[in-house]
C-alpha cells in the first residue's frame, strides 16, 4: 500500500490518560498503519504516562496492528507494575539499556516538581523511565532514578508536545486520549497543550492532532485507571484514525 502521509520528518506525541488510554493509542496507531501510514518511522516519539508505554514499544519497532489484535483479543488488561522493582517486567517496554535515540519518556521530579525528559543519555533502562512516567501519586510509589524520586509525567502536562521539536522535524502529530473534555483536569491538560502547540509553531513546526471525543472516552470507560475495555478502546482508536485520515488525505497534507 502506498503511504498517503510520511513520518520521515514528523514527530509523534502520545498522551497520558490512564490505563484506558493505552488501548486507544494502540488503536489509533493501528488505524494509521492500515491507512498507509507507518508511525514507526517517526523521527521522534514522546510519551507521557500511559503514552510512555506505547511510545517505548513503538520506538523499538512494535507492530501496531499486531499489538491491537493482542489487546482486542484480551478480555481484560492486566494491572501495571506496582513498583520500580517490577519495572523490567513491563511487557514490551525495551529491556536493558537498548534505548532508541528518538524516544523521550517524560516524568516529574517529585522533589522539585520539574519536568524530566529521559532519553539515551540518562543511562538507565527505558523500562525504568516508563515506570517513573506511570507512577501516579497515591496509586503507585515514586520511582527512584539517580537517587531522586520520580512520578507521573502528566502532573505537569498530559502531552509535553514541545519536547517533540528536534532537528529534522517539520511537523508534530499529537495523539490526545483525553480530548476537549469538560472536567477540570482535561481543561488544564488542554491549556498545557495549547501552550505547547504555540511554542512549536513559534519554531516553525506545524502541529496536527488526533483527539479523543466523547464517543472515544465512552468506549474507553469511565475509570481512567481501568483497562478492561481494551477491545472497545482499540476499535474507537481505529475509527478516530480513519476519521482523521479522511479529513487530511484530500488536502494532500504531508506529515
Amino acid at each position: 500500500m502506498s503511504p498517503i502521509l510520511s513520518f520521515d520528518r514528523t514527530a509523534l506525541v502520545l498522551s497520558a490518560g490512564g490505563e484506558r488510554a493505552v488501548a486507544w493509542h494502540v488503536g489509533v496507531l493501528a488505524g494509521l498503519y492500515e491507512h498507509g501510514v507507518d508511525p514507526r518511522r517517526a523521527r521522534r516519539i514522546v510519551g507521557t504516562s500511559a503514552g510512555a508505554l506505547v511510545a517505548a514499544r513503538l520506538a523499538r519497532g512494535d507492530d501496531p496492528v499486531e499489538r491491537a489484535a493482542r489487546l482486542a483479543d484480551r478480555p481484560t488488561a492486566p494491572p501495571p507494575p506496582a513498583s520500580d522493582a517490577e519495572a523490567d517486567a513491563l511487557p514490551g517496554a525495551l529491556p536493558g539499556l537498548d534505548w532508541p535515540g528518538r524516544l523521550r519518556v517524560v516524568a516529574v521530579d517529585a522533589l522539585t516538581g520539574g519536568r524530566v525528559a529521559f532519553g539515551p543519555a540518562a543511562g538507565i533502562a527505558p523500562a525504568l523511565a516508563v515506570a517513573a512516567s506511570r507512577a501516579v501519586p497515591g496509586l503507585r510509589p515514586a520511582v527512584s532514578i539517580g537517587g531522586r524520586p520520580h512520578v507521573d509525567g502528566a502532573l505537569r502536562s498530559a502531552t509535553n508536545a514541545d519536547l517533540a521539536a528536534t532537528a529534522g522535524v517539520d511537523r508534530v502529530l499529537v495523539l490526545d486520549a483525553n480530548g476537549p473534555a469538560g472536567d477540570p483536569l482535561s481543561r488544564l491538560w488542554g491549556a498545557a497543550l495549547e501552550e505547547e502547540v504555540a511554542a512549536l509553531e513559534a519554531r516553525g513546526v506545524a502541529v496536527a492532532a488526533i483527539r479523543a471525543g466523547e464517543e472515544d472516552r465512552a468506549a474507553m470507560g469511565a475509570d481512567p485507571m481501568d483497562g478492561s475495555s481494551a477491545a472497545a478502546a482499540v476499535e474507537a482508536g481505529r475509527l478516530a484514525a480513519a476519521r482523521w485520515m479522511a479529513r487530511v488525505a484530500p488536502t494532500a497534507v504531508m506529515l
Side-chain angles (χ1 to χ4, degrees):
M1 184 186 302
S2 298
I4 297 172
L5 309 175
S6 170
F7 268 99
D8 291 345
R9 298 185 64 83
T10 298
L12 183 65
V13 173
L14 297 113
S15 78
E19 295 308 306
R20 65 182 185 180
V22 171
W24 185 83
H25 280 314
V26 170
V28 173
L29 296 175
L32 290 173
Y33 187 86
E34 289 162 347
H35 283 79
V37 181
D38 189 348
R40 292 173 296 185
R41 299 186 66 178
R43 186 170 289 264
R44 173 162 286 185
I45 303 175
V46 177
T48 301
S49 198
L53 176 59
V54 183
R57 289 170 170 166
L58 188 71
R60 66 118 197 237
D62 204 38
D63 185 325
V65 175
E66 179 182 322
R67 178 67 60 179
R70 290 171 62 182
L71 279 176
D73 288 342
R74 191 167 62 198
T76 59
S83 70
D84 50 329
E86 299 173 80
D88 287 332
L90 278 167
L94 294 173
L97 296 175
D98 182 18
W99 193 308
R102 59 190 174 149
L103 175 64
R104 296 296 181 272
V105 171
V106 186
V108 166
D109 185 315
L111 298 181
T112 66
R115 181 174 70 173
V116 182
F118 291 108
I124 61 171
L128 190 63
V130 171
S133 186
R134 286 157 51 84
V136 182
L139 293 179
R140 305 187 186 99
V143 175
S144 179
I145 299 176
R148 302 183 66 83
H150 291 79
V151 293
D152 192 348
L155 291 180
R156 291 180 61 89
S157 167
T159 46
N160 295 289
D162 53 313
L163 294 174
T166 189
V169 166
D170 298 325
R171 298 179 183 272
V172 172
L173 176 60
V174 179
L175 307 190
D176 178 13
N178 308 287
D183 62 277
L185 182 57
S186 292
R187 289 199 297 271
L188 286 172
W189 281 342
L193 177 56
E194 288 179 6
E195 292 181 2
E196 293 155 14
V197 169
L200 287 167
E201 291 179 340
R203 298 180 62 171
V205 178
V207 184
I210 301 176
R211 308 189 74 187
E214 188 173 335
E215 292 182 0
D216 300 81
R217 291 190 295 274
M220 286 187 273
D223 182 358
M225 301 311 295
D226 181 8
S228 63
S229 299
V234 165
E235 183 60 21
R238 268 197 168 102
L239 292 174
R243 289 192 298 268
W244 185 76
M245 289 292 297
R247 290 198 303 271
V248 305
T251 64
V253 173
M254 295 300 294
L255 290 182

